[in-house]
Every structure is written in C-alpha cells, then in structure tokens.
Amino acid sequence: MAHIQPVIKIEIDPTKPVPEICAVIAAVLPYHPGHEEAILRGVVEAVELRIKQLKGAAENA
C-alpha cells in the first residue's frame, strides 16, 4: 500500500527574514487545522525565549 506524506520544501531569501519566516508559518498552518493557535503560541514562546537570551548576552558582554 502506498505511503503518502505531505512535505513542504522551502527556500527562503535570508535578506528578507521577516516576510520569509511569516510565509513559512503561513504555509505550515493549513496542515494543522484546529491547532493553529497552539502552533502560533509556541512560535511566540520560542521568539520570546530567544529575545531573553539575546538580552542576557548583551548584558554579559
């Protein structure tokens, strides 16, 4: 029996990080109906953690 799995292959332009990252998020969300908010909250938490890490590194520099 065939094993079918959706895959998203993405190439991004690193010179345009914000719109490119937003496009990736928008491409992934439709594969998780009903879980979009949880995914976005997870992304927010990851971003907030990284910001805290950056602030900590700046304070220690």
Side-chain angles (χ1 to χ4, degrees):
M1 177 159 236
H3 176 69
I4 301 170
Q5 184 175 7
V7 175
I8 300 173
K9 293 186 180 187
I10 298 171
E11 291 185 19
I12 64 169
D13 180 350
T15 66
K16 299 174 184 161
V18 174
E20 297 287 278
I21 291 168
C22 291
V24 170
I25 293 168
V28 170
L29 289 178
Y31 289 94
H32 303 280
H35 300 283
E36 296 95 331
E37 185 176 348
I39 292 166
L40 292 172
R41 289 189 187 280
V43 171
V44 168
E45 289 174 12
V47 169
E48 289 173 344
L49 175 61
R50 183 62 183 140
I51 290 170
K52 287 179 185 176
Q53 291 170 340
L54 291 172
K55 286 182 181 179
E59 292 172 2
N60 294 329

